[in-house]
Amino acid sequence: MTTPPYPEDLERPGLVRTGRSTFVRPVRPEDADRLVAFVGGLSRATLAYRSLGPVVRARDDVIRRGAHVDYLNELALVALAGDEIAGLVRYVRDPEEPEHAEVTFTIRDDHQSEGFGRLLLEDIAAAARARGIRVLEADVLADNTRMINVFLGSGYRIESGPPGQIIHFEIAIDPQAQAVARAERREHTAVRRSLRPLLEPRSVAVIGANRDPLTIGHEIVANLLRGGFGGSVFPVNPRAERIAGVRAYANLRDLPEPPDLALVAVRAAAVPEVVRECADAGVKAVVVVSTGFGETGAEGRATELELARFARASGMRLVGPNCMGVVNTTHAARLAATFSPALPTPGRVAMSSQSGPLGLAVLDFARRLRLGFSGFVSVGHAVDVSTDELLQWWEEDPGTSVILLHVETFGDPRRFARVARRIAPRKPIVAVHPGHTDSAVSSLFAQSGVIRTRSLQELFDVALLLAHQPPPPGNRIAVITNAGGPAALTVGACAASGLCVPALGERTRQTLRAALAPRAEVANPVDLTPMATAAHYRRALDTVLADDDIDAVVVLFMPPLADKPDEVASAILDAAAGRPDKPVVASFLGGAGVADLLHRGDLVVPTYTFPEAAAVSLGQAAAYQAWRSTPAGVVPDLAGVDAERARALIAGHAPGPVLAAVAAELLDAYGIAVRDTEPGRGPDAFLSVRADPVFGPVVAFGLTGDYADLMADVVHRVTPLSDRDAREMVRSLRAAPLLDGRVGGRGVDLAALEETVLRISAMVEDLPEIEALELRPVRLLPPGNGVAVAHATIRLADNTKGGRS
């Protein structure tokens, strides 16, 4: 008999309610001995709940057969604690009702009440949905309150039979909003609890500590001590008695207490054994700074993934490998667990970086900018602790007001988008990603409210503004200068950044004429002339900041030989302090050490070497404020959708392209009619979906012909789409004036087009079997006449591999 393919896509790390790490994966034939040991260790009470009454000891051969499943009609997932099974969930499909399956849960006695049941329910529900199962059925003893509470607290639609000794539950596992919200809350609580030993440890061990001050191990110990860490620091080195003035220990077993956090700075070949020793010693979090893993090739990548699997199964969190450590400057932690020679000053910016070497440059650059950090985590290869988990830590950190991300890859892009969208309205998230032309990444960031920058320099320029000044309430900028050339450059840079430099109102100009020298230009830019004094700057700033038609001010100063930059800087600070609701930024061209002059306690006016950087930063901040001020949008409940009919059509269809008639029926089930009509007066359009292996379903929209082919005028969004997403998709094409009537004067039925986009989004979310879809051409008809889909193609994925979940 052919062995069914093992679904690696169902392997995933997990966190239970207590914050404990685990690793969830499908059962494998080689788990037979583990299953025997698991069942053999269950108490009589647990066995009674499992067998719904009398305690029945299963035979060894029966238990072993449970390790052999086809991963489609029968699937079992195990949650591991070390090498042992802590929990097991299994479904068996009903052959007479293929969309129903019986599900059973078994949790080892010493892990009950930790949240394994809820975690396994979420994972088995996702796997079952991807395999065409819509309802899980379970029989539970009436006094098994733990399992009953798992079902009732899941947020899924639950139907239960009449009260009796055994209660029958039917769990509709379509992802309801309530179920998603409850899962997110459980996940958020578990993530924060699991990260506490990493970011707020009570004790730290450094394995590979060295007496030589030029080594990584020594610098980590020295930085922990220099940073003022209040807990215990344990250098581990069998050949040293003291390191950096602190007693050293030969191994982890000799430590007076199990450390919360261990930093590993040994050669790559020794790391797996050291991580195992950490697990044996009760360490809760490990940071592997060692190199020589994924960056060396496939073998190194396999080793680091096995490290992550072992750590999660052992209840530990792991950062790295190939990272430079973690920093938490908050008063509760004072943790400098890094070998960086430049430690950040305390501040309100937190950063996650996926590059170890880059982190060194980042901390040094931030220090020179006087940009303070609340936290910094170099995640390295990010095999376990991920960017979206760090976001959830900083989300509730009162000392963090801006979050910076250097992101190379996404572990779970949809979870990242979900978390970022929740945080971004309250705390700006600024990111740099190396894929400048990656439309899926741009779409993910745009939908989530993440500010995407084009370089590390721009990342820090924007951070400098948002850390010290409010985002501007609008995009109207005033420019104050003592030199005309730089002002002209600034105006151009503002226009390129989506800002406008409007003419000042007559009342503001009259006030400026009365306050400034006769030769001053009081339009916008306001040119104070090279003879301007600090007093002139103060009067001009006070006046334009008081103008309700101005949202922010860029101050330019070219220091002439006769004037003093410190006096001008003091005048700028005084004016900025009087209007804390509007941002003020500066560029002192040719001035050295000006950043120090524009700091006064907590009041900081960001200063840039060149004015273009100030304009770009304001443009990014203004766009972020516009996003934050726009209604969030909702995923609407669409009328005329028959998801059950669509599922029935797909259930009987083989993978690959579907017939045109079947494609038309599937679309009709979602309220989209396929009918060939004459082209409208305007251009035709297309809508397509592809199942991206990283981001999931990505929807593309554009106009056919040269618009897409030559101009690449195509918009992408990641599902699920809200009504706001659909509106932005349709209106953000460069050719949008052809659609809304600004060009040609006719326009098309935009409301119907947006609704079609939403129906396609709902369809691919409900039917994970859809691998690709294209509607081409879509006839765009005049307002009130809808749209007409002339042709449609749909391709289904191989369902036996799990599809999308």
Side-chain angles (χ1 to χ4, degrees):
M1 186 175 68
T2 304
T3 302
Y6 176 77
E8 290 187 6
D9 60 300
L10 296 184
E11 290 188 348
R12 63 192 67 194
L15 292 171
V16 296
R17 177 178 48 80
T18 60
R20 178 191 172 92
S21 301
T22 185
F23 191 77
V24 179
R25 63 167 173 80
V27 72
R28 301 189 289 239
E30 55 266 32
D31 288 324
D33 288 338
R34 286 191 180 92
L35 285 175
V36 171
F38 172 67
V39 176
L42 299 176
S43 69
R44 285 183 172 84
T46 296
L47 283 170
Y49 285 134
R50 183 173 183 266
S51 58
L52 301 179
V55 175
V56 178
R57 291 286 180 181
R59 297 202 325 263
D60 183 278
D61 60 327
V62 175
I63 298 172
R64 290 178 179 277
R65 279 203 297 271
H68 298 269
V69 298
D70 64 8
Y71 303 117
L72 178 62
N73 297 311
E74 182 180 6
L75 174 66
L77 302 177
V78 293
L80 299 178
D83 290 332
E84 299 177 342
I85 296 173
L88 169 72
V89 62
R90 182 187 304 272
Y91 79 64
V92 178
R93 192 190 300 264
D94 186 337
E96 296 183 0
E97 291 186 85
E99 292 193 347
H100 288 235
E102 181 184 359
V103 66
T104 57
F105 294 79
T106 311
I107 310 300
R108 207 170 75 187
D109 290 74
D110 56 339
H111 290 293
Q112 293 174 7
S113 300
E114 292 184 3
F116 276 92
R118 292 186 189 277
L119 176 67
L120 288 173
L121 174 58
E122 291 168 15
D123 285 349
I124 199 71
R129 279 197 303 270
R131 287 154 176 77
I133 293 170
R134 304 302 161 193
V135 178
L136 295 176
E137 300 187 26
D139 290 319
V140 182
L141 287 176
D143 62 345
N144 189 354
T145 55
R146 287 174 177 164
M147 201 68 244
I148 291 171
N149 288 336
V150 167
F151 292 152
L152 296 180
S154 67
Y156 293 119
R157 293 195 307 272
I158 305 289
E159 293 185 8
S160 58
Q165 184 181 2
I166 297 175
I167 304 175
H168 181 75
F169 287 93
E170 292 193 357
I171 308 157
I173 56 174
D174 284 336
Q176 301 297 306
Q178 186 180 31
V180 172
R182 289 185 180 179
E184 287 182 7
R185 285 197 299 272
R186 186 200 65 77
E187 174 194 72
H188 179 69
T189 300
V191 164
R192 286 189 56 79
R193 286 176 176 169
S194 77
L195 294 183
R196 193 170 299 281
L198 172 70
L199 297 171
E200 292 183 355
R202 294 165 297 181
S203 55
V204 181
V206 182
I207 304 156
N210 199 295
R211 287 170 293 193
D212 185 351
L214 299 179
T215 59
I216 287 175
H218 181 278
E219 287 306 296
I220 293 173
V221 175
N223 278 339
L224 283 165
L225 300 174
R226 277 198 296 263
F229 179 63
S232 301
V233 177
F234 303 124
V236 177
N237 185 327
R239 293 181 296 276
E241 292 185 1
R242 301 187 73 82
I243 293 175
V246 178
R247 178 188 170 183
Y249 296 83
N251 53 59
L252 285 168
R253 295 187 301 274
D254 293 341
L255 300 185
E257 62 183 81
D260 283 345
L261 173 64
L263 285 99
V264 180
V266 300
R267 55 190 173 82
V271 168
E273 182 58 32
V274 169
V275 172
R276 288 189 177 274
E277 291 173 0
C278 288
D280 293 340
V283 173
K284 298 181 179 67
V286 178
V287 176
V288 179
V289 302
S290 309
T291 60
F293 291 91
E295 74 275 17
T296 65
E299 185 177 348
R301 179 61 176 167
T303 300
E304 66 186 17
L305 291 177
E306 181 55 37
L307 276 179
R309 281 192 287 267
F310 174 80
R312 294 304 290 263
S314 301
M316 297 188 299
R317 301 308 312 270
L318 186 144
V319 172
N322 192 12
C323 71
M324 55 170 289
V326 300
V327 175
N328 186 350
T329 67
T330 61
H331 183 74
R334 294 182 179 175
L335 177 71
T338 176
F339 57 87
S340 171
L343 295 181
T345 56
R348 303 193 61 80
V349 176
M351 182 173 184
S352 166
S353 172
Q354 278 191 286
S355 169
L358 182 65
L360 295 172
V362 161
L363 291 181
D364 179 63
F365 186 58
R367 194 174 184 88
R368 287 189 280 117
L369 283 178
R370 293 194 61 173
L371 183 64
F373 275 68
S374 59
F376 179 88
V377 179
S378 169
V379 295
H381 294 171
V383 294
D384 178 26
V385 173
S386 60
T387 298
D388 56 82
E389 290 179 310
L390 292 170
L391 283 175
Q392 294 185 72
W393 177 269
W394 290 320
E395 176 182 9
E396 293 186 17
D397 178 17
T400 297
S401 58
V402 180
I403 301 172
L404 308 184
L405 305 176
H406 166 249
V407 184
E408 294 178 357
T409 59
F410 295 91
D412 187 339
R414 300 183 113 188
R415 184 169 68 174
F416 171 86
R418 190 176 70 240
V419 172
R421 195 178 295 192
R422 186 177 72 223
I423 297 171
R426 295 182 292 111
K427 296 183 179 183
I429 302 171
V430 191
V432 62
H433 183 278
H436 295 304
T437 60
D438 191 327
S439 58
V441 174
S442 296
S443 300
L444 181 69
F445 284 165
Q447 285 177 266
S448 307
V450 175
I451 302 169
R452 186 179 186 183
T453 59
R454 292 162 291 186
S455 65
L456 282 168
Q457 178 68 60
E458 186 180 337
L459 178 86
F460 281 100
D461 287 343
V462 175
L464 197 62
L465 169 60
L466 293 173
H468 300 301
Q469 296 282 310
N475 69 341
R476 301 163 301 179
I477 309 300
V479 179
I480 298 176
T481 183
N482 67 345
L489 290 174
T490 305
V491 172
C494 284
S497 301
L499 304 171
C500 67
V501 183
L504 298 176
E506 182 57 34
R507 183 175 179 181
T508 298
R509 283 184 285 174
Q510 287 178 358
T511 305
L512 288 171
R513 290 190 191 100
L516 302 178
R519 293 174 54 195
E521 175 57 56
V522 296
N524 194 9
V526 178
D527 189 346
L528 305 178
T529 78
M531 302 305 295
T533 64
H536 291 136
Y537 270 94
R538 173 63 191 275
R539 294 172 199 148
L541 259 173
D542 284 342
T543 302
V544 296
L545 285 171
D547 190 331
D548 291 337
D549 293 326
I550 294 298
D551 300 307
V553 182
V554 180
V555 184
L556 308 178
F557 178 65
M558 179 72 75
L561 294 176
D563 213 331
K564 299 178 180 179
D566 56 336
E567 293 180 0
V568 174
S570 181
I572 294 171
L573 287 169
D574 290 340
R579 286 305 301 260
D581 57 322
K582 293 184 179 182
V584 176
V585 299
S587 178
F588 277 39
L589 293 91
V594 175
D596 293 339
L597 299 179
L598 288 167
H599 280 66
R600 181 189 295 162
D602 292 335
L603 176 61
V604 177
V605 171
T607 181
Y608 302 91
T609 303
F610 297 108
E612 294 92 337
V616 169
S617 300
L618 277 173
Q620 291 276 30
Y624 164 71
Q625 179 62 19
W627 174 87
R628 191 167 68 165
S629 304
T630 304
V634 296
V635 178
D637 188 12
L638 299 166
V641 170
D642 190 347
E644 295 304 315
R645 175 185 163 205
R647 291 184 186 116
L649 286 167
I650 282 182
H653 205 287
V658 305
L659 297 173
V662 176
E665 278 197 75
L666 284 169
L667 288 164
D668 185 66
Y670 280 82
I672 301 172
V674 178
R675 53 189 176 92
D676 198 4
T677 62
E678 292 297 320
R681 293 183 178 180
D684 288 338
F686 70 90
L687 270 169
S688 67
V689 180
R690 62 179 175 87
D692 187 275
V694 175
F695 293 95
V698 177
V699 181
F701 168 69
L703 303 184
T704 57
D706 291 347
Y707 299 103
D709 298 338
L710 298 182
M711 300 169 57
D713 190 12
V714 180
V715 182
H716 298 82
R717 289 291 185 273
V718 180
T719 65
L721 300 181
S722 69
D723 51 1
R724 174 183 170 186
D725 293 328
R727 179 181 175 84
E728 288 179 350
M729 276 196 84
V730 169
R731 287 165 170 76
S732 58
L733 286 177
R734 294 196 298 277
L738 293 172
L739 305 181
D740 60 20
R742 284 177 289 166
V743 172
R746 292 185 294 271
V748 303
D749 195 334
L750 290 176
L753 180 57
E754 292 167 20
E755 183 177 324
T756 303
V757 171
L758 289 169
R759 291 182 180 277
I760 289 298
S761 172
M763 182 177 180
V764 297
E765 282 292 302
D766 288 347
L767 307 174
E769 298 87 351
I770 293 179
E771 186 175 64
L773 175 153
E774 184 170 56
L775 311 183
R776 182 192 293 261
V778 178
R779 309 292 193 198
L780 303 181
L781 305 178
N785 289 271
V787 299
V789 176
H791 183 69
T793 58
I794 295 176
R795 187 174 70 248
L796 302 183
D798 186 349
N799 195 42
T800 62
K801 297 179 181 178
R804 293 180 281 110
S805 60

